Every structure is written in C-alpha cells, then in structure tokens.
C-alpha cells in the first residue's frame, strides 16, 4: 500500500521500464511455438469474447500504458476489487484474521465492490469448423484443435465425466492420442488435450510434419469418434480415473496448489472440496464418458505451417 510515487502517482521511470518489459514478453510469445499455437487458437476461436484476450494483453494496448492511467486504474482496484484471503497452516484462524485485517486496514474501500461474473461467457457456435493457417520459419508444424464442450464445465453435473474423458482422450501418457496418434502411427511428435474447466473449451495440441496435416487431423478426430462410440477398454477408464484421483489428492499436500484450487472455486462461486470431487470421479461410468464426448463440437482448427523455401 506504499508504492514508490512522484507527483501523486507512480514514478514514470518505473512505469516506462515495466511497460517495455511487458511489450517484450508479448513479442517473445512467438518464440515458443507450442504455446504460441494454443494462444493463436484461443484468440481466433474466442475472438470477441473475454476469454479470447491473452493474459498479457496485446502489444498495442501495452504500449499505450501511461503512469497517470495506471495510477488511476490502481486506485479503482484498491477501492472496488474483491479481496480473497487464503491461509494454510497451524495458527489459530482468529489470530490470522486479526493480523491480516490490521495489515490491510489502509485499503481505501468503496461502498460497492465489483461483483465477479460466474457465467460462461460467449460460448459461440458455428455451422462449420473454421480453419486458420499461419506460416512462419519453423521446421515442425503445430496443429491445434479447439472444441466447445456444449456448455459443460465446472458448474455442470457431468463435469466429472468430462474430466475423465479428457484424461482418457489426451490428458495422460496412456491416453488414446498419445498411444495411437503418436506412438502407434507416428503421426505426431506430441499430442495431448487440455480442458479449460471454467470456459467449457477443450483444446488438442500436436506437433507434426507439414505433410502429415490431413492424416494427423483425421486420426485425432477418429480417436474422438471411438470414445463417442464407447470403445473404451477397462484399463483405459481405470487408468484415467486413478490418474485424476491421484492428482486431486496430491493437491492436499501442496500449499500453493491448495491456494490455486480454492481461488478457482471461489472465482466460480463454488464450495466443493477435493474429496467431494474425488467421489464424483469414482462414480463415472463408461457410458457417461461417451456421452460427454458426444457433446463436443469442433469449433476451430489452427495450423502453423512453414514458409515455402
């Protein structure tokens, strides 16, 4: 609550330095092609939606930051932004609350706080998947597919089934994408799926030879169709389930992961604990996994190709 200031605002020298650092970080994102392809997929798939805005913002907006505007925004956050406090340890809760209350006593709180929006925003759909191709000086192509989950996310009753589906499809080293598309058919250098639990979006990320684009995309989608038909071996289902349960329970041993978990639950307006989530995972059936897969709709395909010559 006591930042370095000059003339009633942030020091311009510091702001200019951090603004330059932010612009550099935004520009450097293209250097890591795997994460860059997912960034570009999200920007294209969720254009016009809040989720389509990268966490670092864009270069033009970052370059326009001024010391005066930043100070004004800072004061608004101090006055109106909700504050969530998380403590994990052995101290008495009342003692911790008293200490934190005293430490934050100087916050210039306003009468009305900003109410977080817990809804899934802008889950737009379209008749046909959109293809976005970009060419850069790369030696390995990047193929990313973005799926809408039909609104199913952390708020939905079938979220546990969606979690198991993602783990079984592409979220683990024993998944269908890894064992079939990568290992058995050698169509990808890597292939995995990731679920964005607050948005209702699943993305598949893969690295491929440029000439394998059609084959790789077709096989990624074929593995999805197999799950939709219920072609799931017992060991696949139980392996995915055990991996998820182990991952959730290991969170109980890590304070930083506990904080992250409860921050996410609070942002979603939920109070479901880890053990309750584990019980939901235990009850998921093969039929529920297939039903979760059937709700997926391919929205956008992003292909990072090499430049000719």
């Amino acid at each position: 609550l006591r930042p370095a200031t000059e003339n009633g605002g942030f020091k311009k020298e510091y702001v200019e330095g951090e603004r330059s650092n932010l612009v550099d970080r935004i520009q450097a994102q293209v250097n890591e092609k795997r994460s860059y392809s997912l960034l570009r997929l999200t920007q294209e798939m969720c254009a016009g939606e809040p989720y389509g805005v990268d966490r670092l913002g864009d270069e033009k907006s970052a370059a326009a930051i001024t010391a005066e505007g930043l100070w004004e925004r800072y004061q608004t956050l101090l006055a109106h932004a909700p504050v969530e406090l998380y403590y994990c340890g052995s101290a008495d809760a009342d003692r911790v609350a008293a200490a934190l209350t005293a430490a934050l006593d100087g916050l210039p709180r306003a009468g009305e706080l900003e109410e977080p929006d817990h809804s899934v925003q802008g889950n737009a759909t379209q008749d046909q998947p959109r293809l976005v191709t970009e060419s850069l000086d790369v030696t390995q192509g990047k193929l990313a597919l973005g799926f809408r989950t039909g609104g199913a996310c952390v708020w939905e009753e079938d979220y546990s089934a969606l979690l198991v589906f993602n783990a079984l499809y592409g979220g683990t080293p024993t998944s269908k994408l890894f064992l079939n598309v990568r290992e058995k058919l050698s169509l990808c250098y890597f292939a995995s799926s990731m679920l964005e639990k607050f948005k209702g979006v699943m993305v598949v990320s893969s690295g491929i030879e440029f000439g394998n684009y059609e084959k790789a995309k077709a096989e990624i989608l074929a593995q999805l169709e197999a799950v939709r038909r219920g072609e799931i071996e017992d060991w696949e289902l139980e392996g995915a389930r055990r991996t998820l349960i182990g991952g959730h329970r290991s969170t109980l041993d890590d304070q930083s992961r506990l904080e992250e978990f409860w921050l996410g639950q609070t942002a979603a307006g939920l109070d479901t604990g880890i053990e309750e989530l584990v019980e939901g995972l235990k009850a998921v059936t093969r039929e529920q996994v297939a039903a979760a897969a059937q709700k997926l709709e391919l929205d956008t395909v992003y292909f990072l190709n090499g430049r000719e010559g």
Side-chain angles (χ1 to χ4, degrees):
L1 298 178
R2 293 184 298 273
T5 61
E6 64 180 9
N7 301 322
F10 289 124
K11 286 191 174 182
K12 289 188 176 181
E13 177 187 357
Y14 292 174
V15 173
E16 290 171 358
E18 293 305 321
R19 180 182 61 208
S20 177
N21 291 340
L22 177 57
V23 171
D24 288 344
R25 289 178 65 193
I26 293 172
Q27 292 175 338
Q29 287 178 300
V30 71
N31 296 333
E32 213 301 299
K33 300 303 188 293
R34 183 171 182 173
S35 58
Y36 175 75
S37 65
L38 291 176
L39 168 64
R40 291 289 297 116
L41 172 69
T42 301
Q43 289 176 333
E44 294 290 341
M45 180 177 175
C46 301
E49 305 174 38
Y51 191 71
V53 179
D54 181 54
R55 64 186 182 87
L56 297 180
D58 61 81
E59 185 178 346
K60 181 179 179 181
S61 299
I65 293 172
T66 64
E68 295 77 16
L70 192 62
W71 179 260
E72 181 179 345
R73 178 58 180 159
Y74 176 59
Q75 297 305 311
T76 299
L77 287 173
L78 291 180
H80 296 282
V83 178
E84 298 289 341
L85 304 176
Y86 299 86
Y87 173 75
C88 181
S90 58
D92 180 76
D94 292 338
R95 176 187 170 196
V96 174
L100 292 173
T101 299
L104 298 175
D105 186 55
L107 277 176
R109 307 300 279 169
E112 296 183 2
L113 299 180
E114 296 176 351
E115 179 64 27
D117 183 1
H118 298 152
S119 64
V120 180
Q121 301 178 10
N123 240 353
T125 57
Q126 51 194 13
D127 294 335
Q128 295 293 329
R130 188 157 50 104
L131 171 61
V132 179
T133 301
E134 187 173 358
S135 296
L136 294 174
D137 289 325
V138 293
T139 57
Q140 182 187 118
K142 297 294 185 292
L143 172 61
L145 288 76
F147 297 84
R148 304 280 183 177
T149 65
C153 56
V154 71
W155 294 271
E156 305 295 328
E157 292 183 1
D158 57 356
Y159 175 63
S160 293
L162 191 63
L163 274 179
V164 176
F165 158 73
N166 179 67
L168 186 149
Y169 177 58
T172 67
T174 58
S175 66
K176 286 185 176 294
L177 291 184
F178 187 89
L179 294 181
N180 293 297
V181 185
R182 182 186 186 275
E183 295 291 291
K184 183 179 179 179
L185 299 175
S186 299
L187 290 173
C188 300
Y189 295 105
F190 63 86
S192 63
S193 65
M194 179 177 64
L195 187 65
E196 175 42 64
K197 62 182 182 179
F198 297 121
K199 175 60 179 170
V201 164
M202 187 191 76
V203 297
V204 171
S205 174
S206 66
I208 63 174
E209 293 285 349
F210 302 132
N212 281 342
Y213 166 75
E214 291 293 348
K215 290 181 180 179
K217 184 179 73 170
E219 190 57 36
I220 288 171
L221 295 176
Q223 295 302 319
L224 173 59
E225 290 301 323
V227 181
R228 286 173 168 166
R229 292 191 298 267
E231 297 175 7
I232 303 169
E233 300 290 342
D234 289 344
W235 65 266
E236 290 179 301
L237 180 60
E238 293 310 313
R241 193 196 314 273
R242 286 197 301 269
T243 298
L244 288 169
I245 291 175
H248 276 71
R249 284 184 168 158
S250 67
T251 298
L252 297 170
D253 301 321
D254 188 319
Q255 288 178 310
S256 61
R257 288 177 61 188
L258 270 175
E259 177 187 356
E260 181 181 358
F261 171 80
W262 283 111
L263 175 62
Q265 295 297 90
T266 302
L270 301 172
D271 58 6
T272 307
I274 289 175
E275 286 300 337
E276 188 175 345
L277 290 175
V278 167
E279 291 304 312
L281 292 171
K282 289 180 179 179
V284 172
T285 65
R286 176 183 284 99
E287 291 73 22
Q288 288 173 319
V289 173
Q294 289 166 12
K295 292 183 179 180
L296 291 177
E297 295 182 9
L298 180 59
D299 184 285
T300 303
V301 177
Y302 173 84
F303 179 41
L304 178 60
N305 202 352
R307 287 199 176 108
E308 292 184 1

